[in-house]
């Protein structure tokens, strides 16, 4: 077929109501990639069923036992394509300085040439699916639209769960509507008669973002954030740029609704780096009586000033793409219940009765499994049965704790923001920021320990500002300035920005064991946080922020001894001072763009720590 014939293919299959610009763009991509067919997705159940049948027939998906796990599937990826590839993720801004030191920058013109060459004829022998989608409830003032083309039916099925995908989204796109174009190919054209493999992909991978034109191009991978372009690529990297220009925030945050024993309702956003238990916190089962925690989102929040100037938040996603290993009956029963059916599992193990299993799902380990690579497995095999980054893809609506306001088109008023890292040392269980600027400083310097370090010393810290290190689509220091500006705008509107807190569930004692039970007991910390908002929970000032006053955290039944609690809250001024030197070196890597407020906060922290040392050392 000629390029013209491919364009015609795209037009002929387009729904009548498709916007002309969308059709023209699909034509252009079809002429470049030369698929055998073009299918415009409507988002219907029948369409999803057809895709899953096709994946089963092609050997990509295995249908699970329909009584144990109705309408659910196991997919095994190629062993070389199992995670997001940050080293192959590029921000192609016009100017290198706009990508900043935390991103891989590529010159946009050169990258376009590279991608055009890679994409030339790349969909030969395959179907190109056109996937219109809305991030956020369709029609919400906070929602944004996109269209992804992809040659992977697995990716289409994932987008169907993770976004509001199909006709309803397409109908939102009119002549003046902004939408983000996203091109995806697995990078594996099929020649005539060539048999396909279950998980086509390419050794070469590129995940590219063009912030100025707000485009996404992805080549070579079908896995997760590399391929489900609505998620990290759009809802964080491109959306963070749109948000900067429009005065809102696109954040790597879960969202919760919390109801206290008096029936007062609060909404909380929390940013933790990847693999720090976000899904568990999003589905927290409180161990304190009469508290209720409901889920709004588990990964991404879009936060914008509402009509009264207060910040309101939505979860732009419609599903969970959660890490399976470690999600279990004893750690997150809500997640396990969410996965009863209608779920696609990727790279977990298969049980002999055609159900799924992964490390941590049950305390009891099955005697025989088929592992994520399709090999026989027993507990003696000496290797994990599920890949550590194995995933489940499931509709958020299926979560038993999903909140009744999770699809509120206006978003929910955000009362508090929490930052957390994985710190064995130094960082107290919970600290309240003095104000928004101090909170921004906390977010900017969030870190996790690379290696276990002896208590009281500073280990190798991996800084992950706002948990956005791999997800911020522009210069990180400009992003901090933007956070400061958003707080200033809220104040200008006569409102108070949300209160900001830092938590650390991962502090360890001298015996190397965690001091805090975590999971459902994190409600005890949340209760203090919300008590601070209502003025009912007492705090004490420390150089790092406000800590809970003695007795202000309900420890009844938590199994935390007094000495453990003291250790959880201890602020060792000397090691914090050492750590602040590391923070200063870190800030230096961002050069002159670092807002003066951030430097001021660091100086204030150091002065307070020195003052406390002069008074004897132990600051709390
Ligand atoms: C994710 C991540 O997959 O943060 O959500 O890596
Ligand atoms: Mn994430």
């Amino acid at each position: 077929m000629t390029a013209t014939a491919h364009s015609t293919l795209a037009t002929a299959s387009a729904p009548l109501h498709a916007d002309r610009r969308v059709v023209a763009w699909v034509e252009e991509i079809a002429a470049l990639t030369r698929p055998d067919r073009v299918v415009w997705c409507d988002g219907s159940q029948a369409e999803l069923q057809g895709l899953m049948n096709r994946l089963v027939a092609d050997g990509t998906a295995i249908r699970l036992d329909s009584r144990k796990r109705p309408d659910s599937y196991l997919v095994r990826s190629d062993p070389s394509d199992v995670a997001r590839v940050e080293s192959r993720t590029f921000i192609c801004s016009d100017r290198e300085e706009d990508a900043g030191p935390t991103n891989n920058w590529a010159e946009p013109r050169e990258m376009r040439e590279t991608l055009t060459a890679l994409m030339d004829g790349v969909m030969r022998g395959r179907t190109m699916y056109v996937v219109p989608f809305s991030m956020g409830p369709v029609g919400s003032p906070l929602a944004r639209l996109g269209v992804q083309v992809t040659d992977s039916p697995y990716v289409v099925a994932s987008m169907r769960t993770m976004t509001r995908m199909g006709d309803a989204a397409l109908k939102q796109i009119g002549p003046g509507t902004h939408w983000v174009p996203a091109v995806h190919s697995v990078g594996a054209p099929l020649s005539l008669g060539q048999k396909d493999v279950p998980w086509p992909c390419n050794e070469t991978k590129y995940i590219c973002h063009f912030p100025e034109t707000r485009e996404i191009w992805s080549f070579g991978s079908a896995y997760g954030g590399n391929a489900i372009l609505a998620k990290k690529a759009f809802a964080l990297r491109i959306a963070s740029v749109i948000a900067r220009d429009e005065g809102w925030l696109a954040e790597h945050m879960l969202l919760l609704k919390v109801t206290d024993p008096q029936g007062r309702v609060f909404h909380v956003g929390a940013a933790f780096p990847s693999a720090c238990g976000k899904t568990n916190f999003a589905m927290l089962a409180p161990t304190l009586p009469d508290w209720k925690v409901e889920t709004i989102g588990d990964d991404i929040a879009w936060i914008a000033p509402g009509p009264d100037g207060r910040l309101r938040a939505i979860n732009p996603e419609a599903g969970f793409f959660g890490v399976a290993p470690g999600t279990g009956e004893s750690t997150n029963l809500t997640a396990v219940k969410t996965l009863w059916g209608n779920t696609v599992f990727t790279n977990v193990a298969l049980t002999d009765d055609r159900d799924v299993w992964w490390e941590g799902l049950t305390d009891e380990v099955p005697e025989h499994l088929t592992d994520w690579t399709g090999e026989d497995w027993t507990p003696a095999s000496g290797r994990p049965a599920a890949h550590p980054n194995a995933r489940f893809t499931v509709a958020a609506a299926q979560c038993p704790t999903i909140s009744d306001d999770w699809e509120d088109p206006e978003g929910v008023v955000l009362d508090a923001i929490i930052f957390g890292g994985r710190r064995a040392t130094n960082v107290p269980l919970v600290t309240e920021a003095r104000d928004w600027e101090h909170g921004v400083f906390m977010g900017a310097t969030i870190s996790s320990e690379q290696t276990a370090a002896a208590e009281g010393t500073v280990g190798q810290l991996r800084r992950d500002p706002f948990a956005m290190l791999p997800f911020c689509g522009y210069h990180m220091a400009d992003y901090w300035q933007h956070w400061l500006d958003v707080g200033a705008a809220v104040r200008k509107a006569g409102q108070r920005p949300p209160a900001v807190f830092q938590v650390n569930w991962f502090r360890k004692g001298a015996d190397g064991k965690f001091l805090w039970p975590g999971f459902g007991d994190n409600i005890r910390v949340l209760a203090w946080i919300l008590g601070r908002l209502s003025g009912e929970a007492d705090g004490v000032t420390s150089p790092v922020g406000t800590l809970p006053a003695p007795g202000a955290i309900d420890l009844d039944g938590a199994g935390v001894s007094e000495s453990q609690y003291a250790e959880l809250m201890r602020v060792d001024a000397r090691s914090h001072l050492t750590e602040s030197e590391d923070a200063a070196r870190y800030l230096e890597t961002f050069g002159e763009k670092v807002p003066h407020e951030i430097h001021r906060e660091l100086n204030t922290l150091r002065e307070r720590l020195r003052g406390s040392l002069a008074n004897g050392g132990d600051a709390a």
Side-chain angles (χ1 to χ4, degrees):
M1 265 189 281
T2 61
T4 322
H6 279 95
S7 312
T8 313
L9 195 66
T11 312
S13 54
L16 285 176
H17 56 263
D19 180 69
R20 284 218 333 264
R21 286 171 313 146
V22 177
V23 178
W25 173 74
V26 172
E27 277 181 3
E28 190 192 312
I29 304 302
L32 172 66
T33 58
R34 300 202 287 283
D36 280 10
R37 286 164 298 278
V38 177
V39 171
W40 289 68
C41 296
D42 61 14
S44 66
Q45 186 62 30
E47 177 182 84
L48 178 65
Q49 198 54 60
L51 287 164
M52 294 319 300
N53 291 346
R54 152 108 205 257
L55 288 168
V56 171
D58 290 350
T60 307
I62 296 170
R63 190 172 280 118
L64 298 172
D65 182 277
S66 61
R67 278 153 309 156
K68 293 202 159 61
R69 206 66 70 167
D71 295 308
S72 297
Y73 301 85
L74 165 64
V75 173
R76 296 190 187 118
S77 81
D78 187 279
S80 68
D81 194 22
V82 291
R84 281 190 291 106
V85 281
E86 286 174 20
S87 61
R88 305 300 305 157
T89 299
F90 299 90
I91 300 295
C92 310
S93 45
D94 287 347
R95 298 184 313 176
E96 184 169 6
E97 69 190 81
D98 290 337
T102 56
N103 283 313
N104 300 312
W105 177 77
E107 203 283 318
R109 200 146 5 120
E110 277 171 29
M111 184 56 89
R112 279 185 198 284
E113 275 171 25
T114 303
L115 288 167
T116 304
L118 287 168
M119 293 286 186
D120 189 2
V122 77
M123 295 194 189
R124 270 192 321 257
R126 299 194 180 276
T127 301
M128 179 168 104
Y129 298 92
V130 183
V131 184
F133 61 94
S134 172
M135 297 311 283
V138 173
S140 154
L142 288 110
R144 292 293 183 275
L145 298 154
V147 183
Q148 175 166 346
V149 296
T150 176
D151 52 10
S152 163
Y154 165 80
V155 168
V156 179
S158 305
M159 290 282 289
R160 167 68 165 56
T161 302
M162 296 305 298
T163 72
R164 282 91 176 169
M165 175 272 251
D167 236 21
L170 185 61
K171 285 186 177 141
Q172 292 286 310
I173 302 179
T177 323
H178 183 260
W179 51 280
V180 169
V183 181
H184 170 251
S185 173
V186 295
L190 288 170
S191 49
L192 200 66
Q194 185 186 342
K195 195 172 154 10
D196 203 359
V197 292
W199 184 278
C201 61
N202 195 305
E203 248 175 68
T204 302
K205 292 176 178 39
Y206 283 93
I207 295 95
C208 302
H209 309 73
F210 296 85
E212 278 85 7
T213 50
R214 293 164 186 184
E215 276 167 271
I216 304 162
W217 288 73
S218 165
F219 175 90
S221 168
Y223 203 90
N226 301 335
I228 305 168
L229 299 179
K231 194 173 177 62
K232 306 297 190 179
F234 180 173
L236 289 176
R237 297 193 194 97
I238 292 294
S240 63
V241 173
I242 300 175
R244 176 199 60 194
D245 295 347
E246 295 180 358
W248 52 281
L249 301 165
E251 297 304 318
H252 191 204
M253 283 185 188
L254 63 91
L255 282 174
L256 291 179
K257 172 181 171 185
V258 188
T259 310
D260 76 5
Q262 288 82 48
R264 289 175 297 192
V265 170
F266 302 88
H267 292 98
V268 178
F272 300 99
S274 305
C276 284
K278 263 171 74 194
T279 304
N280 291 341
F281 195 55
M283 297 178 190
L284 187 150
T287 55
L288 287 182
D290 305 323
W291 283 83
K292 191 165 170 193
V293 176
E294 290 162 285
T295 312
I296 299 179
D298 78 328
D299 196 40
I300 298 175
W302 284 358
I303 305 166
D308 66 358
R310 285 187 298 174
L311 294 183
R312 304 185 80 101
I314 59 163
N315 169 13
E317 300 190 279
F320 304 137
F321 180 67
V323 177
T327 303
E329 288 165 4
S330 56
T331 50
N332 190 344
L333 186 58
T334 306
V336 172
K337 285 184 181 162
T338 305
L339 307 176
W340 63 267
N342 305 318
T343 305
V344 174
F345 299 91
T346 305
N347 289 344
V348 301
L350 180 69
T351 64
D352 293 347
D353 53 3
R354 291 180 90 75
D355 198 6
V356 282
W357 193 83
W358 51 81
E359 280 68 22
L361 175 63
T362 52
D363 292 340
E364 213 173 302
V365 178
E367 276 168 21
H368 180 264
L369 295 165
T370 306
D371 76 7
W372 70 277
T373 66
E375 297 289 322
D376 274 329
W377 184 95
T378 70
S381 296
R383 59 176 197 278
H387 186 277
N389 191 37
R391 298 282 178 147
F392 52 79
T393 312
V394 68
Q398 208 164 288
C399 178
T401 57
I402 199 76
S403 168
D404 58 359
D405 56 8
W406 87 280
E407 294 196 283
D408 187 335
E410 306 301 322
V412 297
V413 172
L414 199 58
D415 299 297
I417 290 174
I418 302 176
F419 296 114
R422 187 181 270 276
R423 293 297 310 270
T425 66
N426 269 4
V427 178
L429 178 63
V430 58
T431 319
E432 182 183 7
R434 288 184 306 278
D435 53 23
W436 184 256
E437 286 71 18
H438 185 211
V440 173
F441 173 75
M442 275 180 177
T445 50
I446 280 292
S447 62
S448 292
E449 253 124 348
Q450 291 281 54
T451 52
E455 176 68 356
T457 67
V458 181
Q460 266 264 317
L461 295 183
R462 179 192 194 258
R463 302 273 168 189
D464 187 350
F466 290 75
M468 284 287 278
L469 189 63
F471 306 124
C472 184
Y474 59 104
H475 196 296
M476 185 60 83
D478 287 337
Y479 165 88
W480 298 339
Q481 182 62 56
H482 180 57
W483 262 77
L484 293 165
D485 294 346
V486 167
V490 174
R491 286 192 189 120
K492 205 166 160 209
Q495 304 285 1
R496 267 222 315 248
V500 182
F501 298 81
Q502 178 171 13
V503 300
N504 175 28
W505 316 134
F506 301 99
R507 197 162 184 176
K508 289 182 175 172
D511 58 2
K513 294 205 177 110
F514 289 118
L515 289 161
W516 182 247
F519 301 106
D521 283 312
N522 291 336
I523 187 66
R524 299 169 191 276
V525 174
L526 257 182
W528 181 76
I529 287 175
L530 301 179
R532 294 295 296 162
L533 303 185
S534 58
E536 288 157 22
D538 290 334
V540 287
T541 305
S542 92
V544 295
T546 306
L547 301 175
I553 288 203
D554 183 348
L555 290 177
D556 195 22
V560 176
S561 71
E562 254 177 55
S563 66
Q564 283 170 323
Y565 183 72
E567 192 54 26
L568 274 164
M569 293 299 178
R570 194 162 68 88
V571 176
D572 179 73
R574 201 172 300 278
S575 42
H576 271 277
L577 260 181
T578 312
E579 195 166 321
S580 73
E581 283 160 26
D582 182 83
R585 280 192 297 275
Y586 184 65
L587 294 184
E588 266 169 36
T589 64
F590 296 94
E592 285 176 3
K593 280 181 182 261
V594 176
H596 71 88
E597 288 88 341
I598 300 283
H599 286 302
R600 191 191 64 206
E601 289 298 331
L602 180 65
N603 289 338
T604 305
L605 171 67
R606 294 168 114 175
E607 273 162 30
R608 289 176 182 230
L609 288 166
R610 282 194 207 102
S612 138
L613 264 183
N615 286 334
D618 229 8

